[in-house]
Amino acid sequence: MKKAKIFSLARYIEKALEKAEYHRDENGVIIAKVPGASGFFAQGDNFETARENLHDVIEGNVLLALQLGLKIPKIEGVEMKEKEY
């Protein structure tokens, strides 16, 4: 039997973005990352662009993990269930 993960991707991204940290590097670029979630980082020339890019990175990484059967980082406030099929 295989297992399917059941959760709201929109809520997952929303909660991950709430945890995100932002800082400006030495070149003035905004770096955005989600602490404790490997691979969830992006950058942009301003806060809005960095946040948009981080949104896309989170979504892409989660979809890729689902396709490849990889572990998805846990995000507080998001319940992830598994169902056998």
Side-chain angles (χ1 to χ4, degrees), residues 5 7 9 12-13 16 32-34 36-42 53-73 75 80:
K5 292 190 181 345
F7 66 102
L9 180 56
Y12 184 94
I13 294 170
K33 67 177 183 172
V34 179
S38 179
F40 287 9
F41 62 91
N53 291 342
L54 184 58
H55 178 286
D56 292 345
V57 165
I58 294 167
E59 183 176 33
N61 283 355
V62 170
L63 292 175
L64 183 62
L66 289 170
Q67 290 172 344
L68 299 177
L70 302 174
K71 188 173 183 174
I72 298 170
I75 298 292
M80 217 177 280

Side-chain angles (χ1 to χ4, degrees), residues 8-16 18 75-79:
S8 167
L9 180 56
R11 180 162 176 78
Y12 184 94
I13 294 170
E14 173 189 336
K15 290 296 184 182
E18 286 176 9
I75 298 292
E76 187 178 326
V78 178
E79 184 178 358

